[in-house]
Amino acid sequence: MVVTCKVLLIVGFILSFQIGYSQDSPNKNSFKPSDSLNTKRQNFVIISEAVLATGTLIGLNQLWYAEYPKSNFHFINDNSEWLQMDKAGHVFSSYHLGRFGAEMLEWSGTSKKNQLLYGAGLGFAFLTAVEVLDGYSAEWGASSGDILANAAGTALYVSQELIWNEQRITPKFSFNTTKFANYRPEVLGSSISEQVLKDYNGQTYWLSVNLYSFAKDSKIPKWVNVALGYGAEGMITGRNENRTTFSAENLQRFRQFYLSLDVDLTKIKTNSHFLKTVFSVFNTIKIPAPTIELVRFNEVKYHLIYF
């Protein structure tokens, strides 16, 4: 769980860097991707990403891991924990880190092949480095499940570019506060900002599908999406057998599945490359919309607005 909290923090920081650069650029044409290789831009991207990634890893090592004892490198099996919500978080994080890397190389005019090799691979490479740090920590350990989830997120981006030359299916994220954080605020978060990162009970991960992309002869608006969501509740510990230590209440862990409407912000027509960058950043978030929820495969709930 802790790894995914760090990952979501990193994704937010890097995407903020992406939009922050756009805001600071003095020339509106600087937002526009180069038609051919722009060495100056490419060097800026490579140096910036290298410095950012290295600095983030050093910061994580000093601020997160330094307080805990070291150990020999080891793996742990956490695949049964948190009803796999943490694995969904790794898919989401790897996808968007890779998307960011590819878009930045596209902006510099780098070839499509190199965008996919070096840009889209950014998410997997960086998150693998985080797993290495976990593997040397006695408190945690490297997770093969996390590595597979990281690979799945990267593969989701790369495969769509190779098959369709566009992103038709986008992982997204939404969050609601829950009562479960009150049971273990030190783990699930004591404030809303902490709970967004730590409370899996309130997180929902989505696969947002752009309808027009699959029916380009139709009159469907290009920005209309249908989103399939996954969530879970009743979790105050990673494993079900440990829950009675923290609560006398008979909490039942259960999965949730959602069907909802969504918007693909990147399909909204605009001539502003700055707005395109803004839309690209915020296309990581699922918009509030009418939603059907399936609980435990046998109970259906209807939400006029769900986020």
Side-chain angles (χ1 to χ4, degrees), residues 132-164:
V132 171
L133 292 178
D134 279 337
Y136 282 106
S137 173
E139 183 74 11
W140 299 292
S143 166
S144 58
D146 288 352
I147 294 173
L148 288 174
N150 296 337
T154 299
L156 179 60
Y157 180 86
V158 172
S159 61
Q160 292 187 80
E161 290 296 318
L162 292 175
I163 296 170
W164 298 314

Side-chain angles (χ1 to χ4, degrees), residues 57 166 177 234 293 299 302:
L57 289 172
E166 63 179 349
T177 57
E293 176 185 353
E299 179 184 352
Y302 300 92

Side-chain angles (χ1 to χ4, degrees), residues 30-102:
S30 296
F31 309 141
K32 183 179 180 180
S34 178
D35 295 329
S36 59
L37 179 61
N38 184 316
T39 305
K40 182 178 179 181
R41 287 187 178 187
Q42 186 183 61
N43 290 339
F44 170 81
V45 171
I46 294 173
I47 293 171
S48 297
E49 289 182 354
V51 170
L52 185 62
T54 303
T56 303
L57 289 172
I58 292 174
L60 282 175
N61 188 55
Q62 294 299 317
L63 299 176
W64 202 289
Y65 296 97
E67 299 178 2
Y68 301 97
K70 301 292 184 181
S71 70
N72 294 327
F73 185 82
H74 64 287
F75 281 91
I76 59 170
N77 183 353
D78 62 350
N79 294 331
S80 64
E81 294 187 1
W82 304 106
L83 293 179
Q84 295 78 50
M85 285 295 293
D86 57 328
K87 303 301 180 273
H90 277 266
V91 172
F92 169 88
S93 303
S94 181
Y95 174 94
H96 285 292
L97 282 170
R99 180 177 68 86
F100 161 77

Side-chain angles (χ1 to χ4, degrees), residues 73-251:
F73 185 82
H74 64 287
F75 281 91
I76 59 170
N77 183 353
D78 62 350
N79 294 331
S80 64
E81 294 187 1
W82 304 106
L83 293 179
Q84 295 78 50
M85 285 295 293
D86 57 328
K87 303 301 180 273
H90 277 266
V91 172
F92 169 88
S93 303
S94 181
Y95 174 94
H96 285 292
L97 282 170
R99 180 177 68 86
F100 161 77
E103 288 180 356
M104 289 299 290
L105 285 179
E106 179 187 17
W107 171 77
S108 71
T110 304
S111 68
K112 188 73 171 183
K113 177 182 177 181
N114 287 339
Q115 289 175 36
L116 297 181
L117 280 176
Y118 305 112
L122 173 67
F124 181 76
F126 180 80
L127 296 178
T128 298
V130 175
E131 287 299 323
V132 171
L133 292 178
D134 279 337
Y136 282 106
S137 173
E139 183 74 11
W140 299 292
S143 166
S144 58
D146 288 352
I147 294 173
L148 288 174
N150 296 337
T154 299
L156 179 60
Y157 180 86
V158 172
S159 61
Q160 292 187 80
E161 290 296 318
L162 292 175
I163 296 170
W164 298 314
N165 198 34
E166 63 179 349
Q167 296 298 299
R168 299 183 178 185
I169 304 171
T170 305
K172 293 194 176 185
F173 174 83
S174 64
F175 178 79
N176 290 288
T177 57
T178 74
K179 67 177 182 179
F180 302 103
N182 296 328
Y183 291 102
R184 296 185 71 194
E186 73 283 1
V187 171
L188 301 179
S190 58
S191 64
I192 292 179
S193 59
E194 288 184 352
Q195 290 167 18
V196 169
L197 300 171
K198 296 181 177 182
D199 185 5
Y200 285 131
N201 299 281
Q203 296 176 4
T204 305
Y205 290 97
W206 304 82
L207 289 177
S208 187
V209 181
N210 183 254
L211 297 179
Y212 177 81
S213 296
F214 290 99
K216 294 191 175 181
D217 293 330
S218 70
K219 295 183 180 180
I220 300 173
K222 294 183 179 181
W223 46 266
V224 173
N225 280 24
V226 169
L228 304 174
Y230 174 66
E233 285 193 17
M235 304 175 294
I236 56 175
T237 60
R239 302 179 189 274
N240 193 42
E241 59 268 20
N242 298 327
R243 71 186 190 281
T244 55
T245 304
F246 304 97
S247 173
E249 185 179 348
N250 185 24
L251 298 175

